[in-house]
Amino acid sequence: MDATAGAASSGALAGPRVGAGLGDAEWTRPQTLPTLEAASVEQQVVRDRISLERQVFRERASAWVLARRASIAACQERAQRWWAGLDVGERALRVQRLSGEFSRLSVWRQQQRKRVWEERNLRRGVDPAQRHAAWLEAQDRREFERRREERRVWFANLAEPLRQAYAMSWDEHRRRYGYATSVDASSELR
């Protein structure tokens, strides 16, 4: 390959030079850019109609969604009847066993488990913050104080990193699901 062929081929690959024009005329940038006129009245009517149709579609519950909600409610009702049908001793044993299993989980696993429960409640249409407030309101004052003191001692005996991990986990959970964070608000029990 000779030098002229190399120069010609590199010039062909490089394309036209910037600023090069046809003949002797030079290309110049326009001083103003063309703009689109505002949407016409007909276009706006169509856009408004589409927005309304989308809103109606999103708000509408399909037969499947309605059937799913009814099924979830029926399952929840059946579970509550089953729990209420257990004798007091059996319920206490189950609560003790499940509490023990939960307590043995790591901080991270506890947080994940609580998140699963709260998300399930949200799918059922239960507001976690309202449910928590109702649970607090239903607590016996003396029993609540006894458990609070028990938990305070337990927490004080944890290693500092574990205390920090639990505190961060609880704060994140309260923020995520809108629980009251005030100690005074939670201690106003009957």
Side-chain angles (χ1 to χ4, degrees):
M1 175 187 286
D2 68 351
T4 349
S9 67
S10 69
L13 290 176
R17 292 177 306 161
V18 175
L22 299 173
D24 290 341
E26 286 190 22
W27 178 86
T28 59
R29 184 176 67 85
Q31 297 304 311
T32 60
L33 296 174
T35 59
L36 297 175
E37 294 298 319
S40 69
V41 174
E42 295 88 25
Q43 287 176 323
Q44 193 58 45
V45 168
V46 170
R47 285 184 183 137
D48 291 343
R49 193 175 94 221
I50 290 171
S51 293
L52 180 63
E53 288 173 359
R54 285 179 179 164
Q55 181 181 3
V56 167
F57 177 78
R58 288 181 182 128
E59 290 175 355
R60 178 181 68 184
S62 68
W64 183 88
V65 168
L66 294 174
R68 179 176 181 267
R69 286 179 188 162
S71 175
I72 289 171
C75 285
Q76 179 68 15
E77 185 180 321
R78 191 168 48 248
Q80 287 174 346
R81 278 196 318 268
W82 171 82
W83 181 257
L86 293 176
D87 65 67
V88 176
E90 178 67 19
R91 275 189 279 183
L93 285 174
R94 286 177 181 267
V95 166
Q96 185 179 16
R97 180 180 57 82
L98 294 171
S99 275
E101 288 175 8
F102 183 80
S103 296
R104 287 187 291 277
L105 294 174
S106 69
V107 176
W108 184 82
R109 291 271 184 223
Q110 286 182 8
Q111 184 177 18
Q112 295 305 309
R113 181 79 47 94
K114 289 188 298 186
R115 185 173 293 159
V116 166
W117 292 332
E118 295 295 18
E119 294 300 325
R120 182 183 61 200
N121 284 333
L122 286 169
R123 284 192 303 274
R124 289 179 181 155
V126 176
D127 179 2
Q130 288 178 353
R131 182 172 188 258
H132 184 258
W135 174 81
L136 277 177
E137 185 64 31
Q139 298 301 305
D140 176 67
R141 178 72 173 181
R142 278 176 266 151
E143 178 62 17
F144 178 80
E145 292 298 332
R146 184 196 64 75
R147 279 197 325 268
R148 184 163 73 170
E149 180 59 23
E150 193 177 273
R151 294 287 290 178
R152 189 192 65 74
V153 170
W154 168 82
F155 189 75
N157 288 324
L158 292 175
E160 182 63 27
L162 203 49
R163 279 199 304 253
Q164 290 175 358
Y166 272 113
M168 286 174 47
S169 173
W170 296 331
D171 286 344
E172 190 273 332
H173 189 76
R174 287 182 191 114
R175 270 194 313 277
R176 177 183 293 256
Y177 297 106
Y179 287 5
T181 56
S182 169
V183 173
D184 296 332
S186 66
S187 63
E188 292 176 13
L189 300 172
R190 51 181 173 113

